Amino acid sequence: MPKNLDPQLAWESPELIAVTNLYSGLFRLDETGKPVPDCAESYTVSDDGLTYTFTLKEGLGYTENRGDASDYKLTAADFVFGLRRVYRAETRSPYTNTYAAIKNSGEVLSGAMDETALGVSAPDERTVVIQLDQPDPQLLYKLALPGAMPCNEAFFESTEGAYGLTRSATLANGSFYVYNWNDNGLFLRRPADGDAVTALRLVINATGQSADSSGSSASAVQTLWGEALVKEGGATAALSEALTAEGLDSIPYTATTWVLLFNCGDETLAQPLIRQALTASALSAPVELPEGFEAADGLIPPAVTVQGENYREAAGSIRPSFGSASDLCREGLAALGVSRFENITLLAPEGDGYLQLAQSVNQQWQKELGAYSAYFPVKQLSLEDLTARVASGDYQIALLPLSLSSDSAAQLLGETAGLAAWNDSGWQNQLAALFADGTHTAADAAVLERGLLESACAAPLWFQTKALLVQPGVEGLVFRPFGPVLDVTGASIPQ
């Protein structure tokens, strides 16, 4: 269930799904992932690629919760204010890197310039102008993401800090509006229109429940981990770790990499030779993989693209070769002045299947490095608690899934280095340049991926493929594996 409905903050899957259906930006992504005009009627780009001018459609407006008409008018100024909020330091928006090509964005974020210096302006109520410091070929795609959604400044101020945190503090301009939001979940609706899907429900756990289509001609859509409700007809689509289900259509996607993370801030694991030894051994472990798992040939999963091409295919396999795990371990421990491992714990997610994966790696360590007491206690935690422990740095070695919330190789590289507490100023500077450069290639990203993996702060073990299970006959669903995000704005269920 989403924690907030503020598009400038939305980053986790429930928030992304909610705001994608609640708001309309200048552009929206179609079924192929191509950006197409949404609130924009037309646009032009200057010859140097630095100035984009958008003309808005006429008659745009907002809908308050429960579908009530709003007195707030939607104008070009709302798109300007939305992007300015991204670069207010107090917002702490995750989209600052996404729109880094906008003129003066870095200076505004740091406080060196006032937010009015940001390269976004509204010459009149229907015109939005975006100026860039450097060309960004992906700008139209990025303008379909939540960070670029409009925000009415007067309404924002009226919420007194509660914007997007309650139903009454949410003002949407998309096809859907907030019908209900409580401890049981978030329920979005829109007026009936032919065969269009009219309801979207996001829930914590709908096991044994059924969706209420409220008598409309189109069933409710729920985002669930499971297939039961889809089969029962209580939901139209569900996220599932099962790749197929009898009688349902399936959209597979591979946006998750299971990694071993080594905390470089730990006294023992700060020694690179130790990390290299454990990585070399783990990568050679024979493992019986569950459905949807396959050996990873890098950190970046296959769903990622760079400049329109599949990153994994372009970069190829990036699996570092460190040599003898036993020799590396002996040398690393000697450098620390010890002869064996002590007080090392391996954290893993709860679940018998995940325990088996962790134990397979542990057994390989015992086989190759048992002379150095390299068989570690395994502690299982809920995925939420495990993620929190890793994020706080309270771990030594962790086996966990890393999933992307955006189609960005740089994002996953930066997050992984941060979680592992690996600090290399040269690499970090290269990463910052990659984030800022909208024209980087797969080869540029591959250099950084190789550098990160050669540091052995993380060992990518497996890619996991999941699926969106859909009732047959549903048309117009837009699904993005990053988040993941489901957009039902154009979806219909022919009767």
Side-chain angles (χ1 to χ4, degrees):
M1 185 172 67
K3 297 177 182 177
N4 74 78
L5 301 178
D6 181 343
Q8 276 73 50
L9 289 178
W11 194 251
E12 300 298 328
S13 181
E15 286 81 18
L16 290 171
I17 294 172
V19 303
T20 295
N21 290 279
L22 280 171
Y23 292 87
S24 292
L26 293 170
F27 279 72
R28 183 174 293 273
L29 301 181
D30 66 11
E31 294 177 67
T32 67
K34 176 184 176 182
V36 295
D38 194 1
C39 287
E41 180 178 82
S42 61
Y43 74 101
T44 60
V45 186
S46 62
D47 291 340
D48 60 7
L50 296 180
T51 302
Y52 287 69
T53 303
F54 303 89
T55 300
L56 300 183
K57 297 175 181 177
E58 293 184 354
L60 298 177
Y62 292 99
T63 303
E64 295 184 1
N65 65 86
R66 292 295 177 92
D68 295 336
S70 172
D71 293 331
Y72 290 96
K73 186 177 180 180
L74 193 159
T75 70
D78 297 357
F79 288 95
V80 172
F81 183 66
L83 284 169
R84 285 180 177 174
R85 284 194 61 231
V86 169
Y87 289 97
R88 287 182 173 181
E90 64 267 24
T91 303
R92 297 185 179 180
S93 172
Y95 293 97
T96 54
N97 286 318
T98 303
Y99 306 108
I102 294 179
K103 185 176 180 180
N104 299 329
S105 59
E107 291 80 359
V108 172
L109 183 63
S110 69
M113 289 185 176
D114 185 78
E115 65 179 40
T116 57
L118 188 69
V120 185
S121 59
D124 57 55
E125 289 190 347
R126 290 186 58 202
T127 305
V128 178
V129 178
I130 298 180
Q131 295 175 290
L132 308 180
D133 281 324
Q134 57 187 1
D136 184 353
Q138 298 297 310
L139 181 64
L140 298 183
Y141 171 89
K142 294 174 181 179
L143 292 178
L145 301 179
M149 296 300 108
C151 179
N152 184 278
E153 185 172 6
F155 179 81
F156 174 82
E157 295 297 341
S158 75
T159 65
E160 299 180 336
Y163 182 67
L165 295 178
T166 66
R167 187 180 68 192
S168 61
T170 300
L171 187 67
N173 75 311
S175 299
F176 288 84
Y177 56 84
V178 179
Y179 182 76
N180 203 2
W181 189 13
N182 53 39
D183 291 341
N184 294 321
L186 173 71
F187 189 19
L188 310 183
R189 296 188 66 180
R190 65 177 169 184
D193 183 13
D195 295 331
V197 171
T198 57
L200 172 64
R201 191 193 303 269
L202 286 87
V203 297
I204 299 174
N205 183 354
T207 303
Q209 301 177 10
S210 60
D212 175 15
S213 61
S214 302
S216 68
S217 61
S219 301
V221 176
Q222 295 194 0
T223 56
L224 314 168
W225 290 103
E227 63 188 63
L229 283 184
V230 185
K231 285 186 173 181
E232 295 168 0
T236 300
L239 296 168
S240 175
E241 293 193 1
L243 302 186
T244 59
E246 184 178 357
L248 302 179
D249 294 334
S250 174
I251 303 174
Y253 63 100
T254 310
T256 297
T257 306
W258 282 79
V259 302
L260 277 173
L261 275 180
F262 301 102
N263 188 345
C264 298
D266 178 80
E267 183 178 358
T268 301
L269 298 170
Q271 168 53 247
L273 292 173
I274 297 296
R275 302 197 304 268
Q276 291 173 12
L278 295 172
T279 296
S281 180
L283 291 176
S284 66
V287 182
E288 184 176 345
L289 295 176
E291 179 189 22
F293 282 67
E294 62 177 319
D297 55 2
L299 177 68
I300 310 302
V304 174
T305 60
V306 175
Q307 303 300 339
E309 66 176 337
N310 182 276
Y311 171 78
R312 200 69 273 157
E313 293 178 1
S317 177
I318 299 180
R319 286 171 64 93
S321 178
F322 295 122
S324 168
S326 180
D327 290 346
L328 289 166
C329 189
R330 183 181 63 254
E331 294 173 17
L333 290 173
L336 293 172
V338 298
S339 60
R340 55 186 292 171
F341 290 101
E342 293 184 0
N343 303 319
I344 299 288
T345 299
L346 171 61
L347 302 183
E350 291 177 340
D352 292 342
Y354 301 141
L355 178 60
Q356 292 176 10
L357 292 174
Q359 292 290 31
S360 295
V361 173
N362 220 355
Q363 289 164 8
Q364 183 66 17
W365 284 336
Q366 184 181 39
K367 177 182 177 181
E368 286 193 271
L369 308 174
Y372 311 107
S373 300
Y375 186 83
F376 310 126
V378 177
K379 181 176 182 179
Q380 290 189 279
L381 302 170
S382 68
L383 186 56
E384 181 179 2
D385 288 343
L386 173 58
T387 302
R389 282 277 296 270
V390 171
S392 68
D394 183 18
Y395 79 103
Q396 292 157 309
I397 307 175
L399 173 66
L400 78 166
L402 297 180
S403 298
L404 282 163
S405 55
S406 67
D407 190 7
S408 169
Q411 175 208 333
L412 187 58
L413 292 171
E415 288 181 355
T416 304
L419 292 173
W422 179 62
N423 297 307
D424 181 291
S425 58
W427 187 89
Q428 294 288 351
N429 289 337
Q430 285 182 287
L431 180 68
L434 192 70
F435 262 121
D437 183 7
T439 63
H440 70 266
T441 65
D444 297 327
V447 170
L448 285 168
E449 182 182 20
R450 187 176 301 280
L452 179 69
L453 297 185
E454 287 180 349
S455 78
C457 67
L461 301 179
W462 313 293
F463 292 140
Q464 183 181 8
T465 298
K466 301 176 184 178
L468 179 74
L469 302 179
V470 186
Q471 285 185 5
V474 178
E475 300 175 353
L477 282 178
V478 176
F479 178 69
R480 302 202 310 273
F482 308 104
V485 180
L486 182 66
D487 184 354
V488 300
T489 299
S492 63
I493 307 175
Q495 301 300 304

